[in-house]
Amino acid sequence: MNVVVCVKQIPDPAAPPALDAGTKNLVRAGKLILDDSDAYGVEMALQLADAAGGGEVTLVSMAPNGETSGLRTALAMGAAKAILVSDDSLAGTDALGTAKVLAAAVKRAEPDLVLAATESTDGYTGTTPVQVAELLGLPSVTFAKKVEITGNSVKVERQTEAGYDEVESPLPALVTVTAGVVEPRYPSFKGIMAAKSKPVEILTVAELGLDAGEIGAAGARQEITQVADAEARAAGEIVVDEGEGHQRVIEFLEQLKVL
Amino acid sequence: MSVDKIWVLAEVVDGAPITTSLELITQARSLAGTVEAVAWGDATPSVAATLGEYGVTTVHDVGDLGGALPGVPVAAAIAAAVAAGAGPDAVLFPATYDGRDIAGRLSAKLDRPVLTNVVDLIADDGGLVTQHAIFGGTQVVSARFTGEGPGIYVVRAKSFPAEPSGGAPASAVAAPAPDTGATNAARIVARHVEERTGPKLDEAAVVVSGGRGLGERDSYALIEELATLLRGAAGASRAIVDAGWVPYSHQVGQTGKTVKPTVYLACGISGATQHLVGMKNSKNIVAINKDADAPIFSVADLGIVGDVHKVLPKLIDALKSRG
């Protein structure tokens, strides 16, 4: 069974994020790493391919400057190869434009199953996977907390407001996985060494056959009109607990008439 | 793009429209002359009265989906109306699981961009301007579409109040989904409800949430006990939901519930952006965390720098002794 995992390489979330003063886009110039949220999809793909008795896990990603650091992490976990779309004309691309790029790249891999995270950690638009599914004419099941393959169908436990639904779909299909669906493995030293020589195909927008007008800032058909500081909450009171901190909480709750 | 007609996705749970849909309808009234709704399932006739009360004149009823997930058929039904020239200038979706699916599908189907995580919608120069909280709510980004409509917006819960306008029941018109073939092949085969006791997390006046700082799964019992004593609901950060300590239905934050209680007690929660966006609009915030530099203290009205394992048992004992 061949599985494609859509992965995003993002600025390190531990570093303070910033917007470009001119374009108001998220600054993505420095080193990028594999989005933590995507480690679950990669692990799930490896487990499903393994359980199906073989098949390849292919990564599909879009990033500036031919960035592959995050892809190498996923390759070190065990993915076989990667397709990276990297092109200067992609700067400013929105969720739908990204979906068009990913869909075109996914198609080349002819997968039985496409996995993605429910949303990225840096942009969290949360619609790109279903947009990819729609563009490829695939059924999709989002917010999976459990995924199983039986024969030619995928069975998913999908989060709901009240609990979860059991959902079945024939393959090929796209599934988005929540964090915690599986425990991602740490890449082994052997894996890290092997990842260095695994194939990463780097493609341009033209090579994917996409129209330049559909991507980039122009294709996004939206603009940021303003960025402002949020109304700050008045600074609160800080109490260092030396055994009586709970008393202050009780007084506070009494003040609010919660007690 | 002038905005004369807005459609709102009216998601129905347990026979009633969800509160977020009513919030969006309320706001839509102030933005456009005509507010209509899109609904599916067998309950549409009975919710038409409620929707009308909030200002909806017409409900476009996609009907029973035969067990299909709503994403594909509902988006196809809306797209068909747009193609027929009967569509709206903007469609507002609640940021729910199904709302996001339908909005994403519709965006790709119509080839229109989508703005998500909207926390405010403002009429401006004939169009709509959205606001989005970023970087843990420290900054607000305003945005708008520059191309052809309809604009597709996914709005977070509790962005607006829900206020009835006293309108007459909405009239229902059938808006069946066109055949979408294999794309619409996913089927719900069973539904499972995770039982909760006490007030609902997104409606409770007091929410007590726990995070990684609890150290281990068993310590979550402290959160539940404190929530019960305060007649509140127990919540959780994504970290401990991901770790499998508590069910997903407890999660507060970006991917979980948005809460706005009178008091929010964050216990052993560092305050990642993911969490802050779901609770920072609480009226009062109390944070207990042993790391004095934790970002949660930047939104706390009262911050206790201390170990939850020491503070919470004393707090629980003190509350018990009050009877």
Side-chain angles (χ1 to χ4, degrees), chain A residues 205-226:
Chain A
V205 169
E207 284 169 316
L208 282 177
L210 284 170
D211 186 90
E214 297 189 82
I215 46 103
R221 292 164 289 167
Q222 58 197 272
E223 61 180 5
I224 288 174
T225 56
Q226 195 185 24

Side-chain angles (χ1 to χ4, degrees), chain B residues 69-140:
Chain B
L69 289 171
V72 172
V74 178
I78 298 172
V82 171
D89 302 302
V91 197
L92 312 187
F93 293 91
T96 56
Y97 304 109
D98 289 338
R100 281 173 29 156
D101 277 8
I102 300 166
R105 288 274 178 184
L106 183 65
S107 159
K109 216 170 202 10
L110 293 178
D111 192 22
R112 295 288 181 276
V114 55
L115 284 165
T116 67
N117 291 301
V118 174
V119 296
D120 202 357
L121 270 168
I122 303 147
D124 177 76
D125 198 18
L128 293 178
V129 169
T130 55
Q131 292 199 333
H132 312 254
I134 61 161
F135 301 161
T138 55
Q139 293 197 289
V140 179

Side-chain angles (χ1 to χ4, degrees), chain A residues 14-86:
Chain A
L19 296 182
D20 181 276
T23 63
K24 310 272 198 327
N25 290 327
L26 201 60
V27 174
R28 306 166 55 80
K31 183 180 178 310
L32 302 177
I33 62 170
L34 180 70
D35 188 341
D36 256 354
S37 309
D38 289 327
Y40 303 94
V42 173
E43 178 64 40
M44 189 83 247
L46 293 169
Q47 290 187 14
L48 291 175
D50 202 36
E56 264 185 349
V57 174
T58 305
L59 309 167
V60 166
S61 189
M62 173 179 127
N65 311 322
E67 176 69 67
T68 59
S69 320
L71 294 177
R72 295 289 171 201
T73 304
L75 291 169
M77 288 173 71
K81 58 188 184 356
I83 302 174
L84 173 69
V85 187
S86 194

Side-chain angles (χ1 to χ4, degrees), chain B residues 2-16:
Chain B
S2 82
V3 180
D4 301 318
K5 184 158 65 171
I6 293 181
W7 283 12
V8 176
L9 187 81
E11 199 171 325
V12 175
V13 173
D14 296 334

